[in-house]
Amino acid sequence: MAVEQVPICQTRFKLNNGTSIPAIGLGTWQGRHGAADEDQLRDSIVHALRSGYRLIDTATLYGVEHIVGQAIRASSVPREDITVVTKFWGDMHHDPATSLQRSLTALGLEYVDILLMHWPCALTPDGKKPLMPDESPTYVETWKLMEKLVDGSNSETAKQCRAIGVSNFTQKLLDVLLKEATIVPVVNQVELHALNPNFNLVPYCQSKGIQVMSWSTLGGRHAPQILTHPLFVNIAKNHNCSPAVVSLSWAVQRGIVVIPKSGTPARIEENIRLVTLTDEEMETMNNAHRTVGKVRISDGITSLQYDIPGKGVTLLGWTNQEFGFEDEQGNWLT
């Protein structure tokens, strides 16, 4: 007798503030904007929510917070049932409180569930120049400002922002942050996929009570082999599903939240019905970065690259060593 699959959207992970978060949500970065694109994104979010998704991830940088808010209202799903995550960009590291207000206005919502620091790297307020790691505001100084949003010192912002977290933080950066923090981030959203599995970072975050959330779990155009390589395709055949579902299932089985982006109704519906991989299949996935190859997608995002005198090409002004991605010999640390 066939066993009916239970939507993975019913799986939730506990957060360190006593709440919980769905194991799978919908990402909203789309890379381009126009009337048709906005309509497609709005429709895809509405469809996702009506299909059982209860987590929506967005960011100021994406320029789509207003569409997210419209879709939430159009979906008829109660707001309190939806976890909304947004992120502020480096040009607002000096004033996350104002960024929160701008996001709330764009979303048309009374509160966000989780506000994230998008990258640890600050930019000048005009957004044109990256600051060096030791320049103010440092990510620790920005975190201190974020803590004020939720520590109860301001009852109004505590209602508007339910929790705070970080994005693109390595163990090196978290070690420094946690020594100064009075509030532990609820989430660390990082690039994570089979070709960049973060086998050191994930257990570190879990030991600190920080929930890992994965971006680019499906690789995208920077790592298309995640959807085409025989290793992933063969596992997918075992479960009569797509390679995308295999990658999402692998991450969720590791206790990681995933936020795949799709504008296709059928794929949105498929992505939320994950499968249980065998121990052997998990091991095969775990070794894919050795057998297929390593890929760090952030290295290939040209909009994040800055040529800094004395440093060369950097990611938002920081070297891979400053991030903690690599040691001085170029060995991956995450």
Side-chain angles (χ1 to χ4, degrees), residues 46-176:
V46 171
H47 184 75
L49 290 170
R50 291 177 177 173
S51 299
Y53 285 73
R54 292 297 181 266
L55 166 64
I56 306 295
D57 176 81
T58 189
T60 301
L61 181 70
Y62 303 166
V64 299
E65 287 176 314
H66 63 293
I67 303 172
V68 171
Q70 292 168 9
I72 288 173
R73 289 186 289 277
S75 73
S76 299
V77 175
R79 168 67 184 93
E80 61 269 21
D81 292 346
I82 305 169
T83 299
V84 178
V85 179
T86 194
K87 304 177 279 290
F88 63 88
W89 193 237
D91 58 351
M92 291 303 293
H93 272 222
H94 65 290
D95 193 359
T98 294
S99 186
L100 169 65
Q101 295 305 316
R102 291 175 180 174
S103 289
L104 291 172
T105 298
L107 289 161
L109 301 177
E110 294 182 354
Y111 67 95
V112 296
D113 295 273
I114 307 175
L115 177 69
L116 304 181
M117 189 188 318
H118 204 151
W119 286 84
C121 321
L123 303 174
T124 53
D126 61 10
K128 294 181 179 180
K129 178 185 176 183
L131 302 183
M132 297 302 99
D134 59 349
E135 289 188 272
S136 183
T138 65
Y139 61 87
V140 172
E141 291 171 338
T142 299
W143 183 255
K144 290 294 185 181
L145 296 175
M146 294 176 68
E147 289 181 330
K148 294 179 180 179
L149 301 176
V150 294
D151 65 5
S153 59
N154 185 322
S155 59
E156 188 60 29
T157 58
K159 295 176 183 177
Q160 296 172 333
C161 180
R162 303 294 173 84
I164 54 175
V166 296
S167 184
N168 300 299
F169 272 57
T170 62
Q171 180 176 334
K172 175 181 178 178
L173 303 181
L174 286 170
D175 275 340
V176 174

Side-chain angles (χ1 to χ4, degrees), residues 223-240:
Q225 56 269 58
I226 289 176
L227 298 180
T228 60
H229 193 278
L231 182 151
F232 307 108
V233 172
N234 289 337
I235 295 176
K237 289 179 180 177
N238 294 340
H239 297 273
N240 193 30

Side-chain angles (χ1 to χ4, degrees), residues 30-50:
Q30 55 182 11
R32 65 186 188 278
H33 305 292
D37 301 317
E38 291 194 0
D39 288 343
Q40 182 189 47
L41 178 60
R42 185 183 302 105
D43 292 345
S44 70
I45 298 171
V46 171
H47 184 75
L49 290 170
R50 291 177 177 173

